[in-house]
Amino acid sequence: MTTPTVTARGAAPTAGVPAATRPRHRRPLAQWGFVAPAVLFMLLFFGYPLVRNVVMSFQHYTPKTFFTGEAPLNGFDNWSAVFRDALFGKALWHTLVFTAGSLLGQFCAGLALAVFFTRRFPLNGVLRSLILLPWLVPMVVSGIVWRRILDQDTGVLNSFLDVIGLDGHTPWLTSPHMALLSVILVNIWIGIPFNMVILYGGLQEVPRELYEAAALDGASGWRTFRSITLPTLRPVITVVLVLGFMSTVKILDLILALTDGGPADATQTLGTLTYQNSFVRLDFGAGAVVGNVLILISAVFAVFYLRANRTEGK
């Protein structure tokens, strides 16, 4: 007579058990194995420079430091010197005006073009491709080209204004009253394609049935746009504006190519002030302070972006 073998309750299975039912403590290790390279990359190329920049803002960091390695701490001297400087206040104000003007112009023009290209007509794809060119050209190249176009004496724009009988001697880049506006207009021209592409993609996701129902109800074009298009595009608009802000608030190369922060500091922004403090005046501590202010502003809007995405996803 064969005695049946009874397996004790709770005994761990051994042979012949599928891998999916084995202990789960290995799964987190495998997950962290995939995440670890990205975390290491972020720590090395983003975390360390960020911490180093913060530390530098509290040091007396000079060109001599590169040879001696000595950078004594000076407390909040760099911070107080930067905040007492009248140029910092001007640069902060110019940054806000430049960013707000650029975002408003880019978004409005990009949305108008996105709505326009939702209609089917010949050469639709070709025209959309051509509009992408300003976005594909390096910003320094765009700045140099526009500097030639806006030149007061030999620029194409003033020559064209002369031909049509208008004032052809406008100092677009040499007048303290016109320079910032000119830089904003150039940046709008550069940023329109990005806004158009993202918003155009969002418009493709709007159900056609909503427009058909609005047409049957006799809604006007503006009412349809305000009641259907804008509410449906709200998540996309949030992404466009926040990403646009984070890329615009720190622009440096375009302003350097157009005006180099002049004339009379009329186009000085936090980005150009960071560059000039660090690499022109060689005051690396002051440059680190302005850079930290830029990082803080970008971080605030990054948090806003993540919270907005989380809210829309619920």
Side-chain angles (χ1 to χ4, degrees), residues 64-210:
K64 185 179 178 181
T65 305
F66 291 99
F67 300 98
T68 64
E70 298 177 356
L73 294 174
N74 59 2
F76 288 91
D77 290 352
N78 294 329
W79 292 82
S80 60
V82 168
F83 289 153
R84 286 198 309 265
D85 187 1
L87 185 56
F88 175 79
K90 291 178 62 176
L92 180 60
W93 172 247
H94 293 159
T95 302
L96 296 177
V97 173
F98 173 77
T99 303
S102 297
L103 288 182
L104 181 62
Q106 293 171 359
F107 175 77
C108 292
L111 180 59
L113 287 172
V115 173
F116 173 75
F117 281 113
T118 56
R119 303 176 180 180
R120 301 297 179 183
F121 58 89
L123 301 179
N124 183 306
V126 175
L127 290 178
R128 277 191 287 124
S129 301
L130 291 177
I131 291 177
L132 289 177
L133 289 178
W135 192 28
L136 301 177
V137 176
M139 196 167 290
V140 174
V141 176
S142 298
I144 294 173
V145 171
W146 274 101
R147 186 169 185 170
R148 297 295 300 273
I149 293 175
L150 298 176
D151 187 89
Q152 182 176 357
D153 300 320
T154 61
V156 176
L157 181 56
N158 278 343
S159 299
F160 173 75
L161 293 177
D162 266 336
V163 170
I164 62 177
L166 298 177
D167 183 15
H169 301 283
T170 305
W172 298 102
L173 299 176
T174 55
S175 168
H177 304 290
M178 292 289 299
L180 184 59
L181 175 62
S182 300
V183 174
I184 291 174
L185 292 176
V186 173
N187 192 49
I188 289 174
W189 176 81
I190 293 174
I192 286 175
F194 171 77
N195 285 258
M196 185 199 73
V197 168
I198 303 300
L199 294 171
Y200 178 81
L203 287 173
Q204 303 307 304
E205 301 300 322
V206 180
R208 299 295 101 183
E209 295 81 4
L210 296 179

Side-chain angles (χ1 to χ4, degrees), residues 292-309:
N292 287 329
V293 173
L294 268 177
I295 292 172
L296 181 60
I297 294 174
S298 299
V300 169
F301 274 82
V303 171
F304 169 76
Y305 167 64
L306 294 176
R307 289 179 63 88
N309 271 359

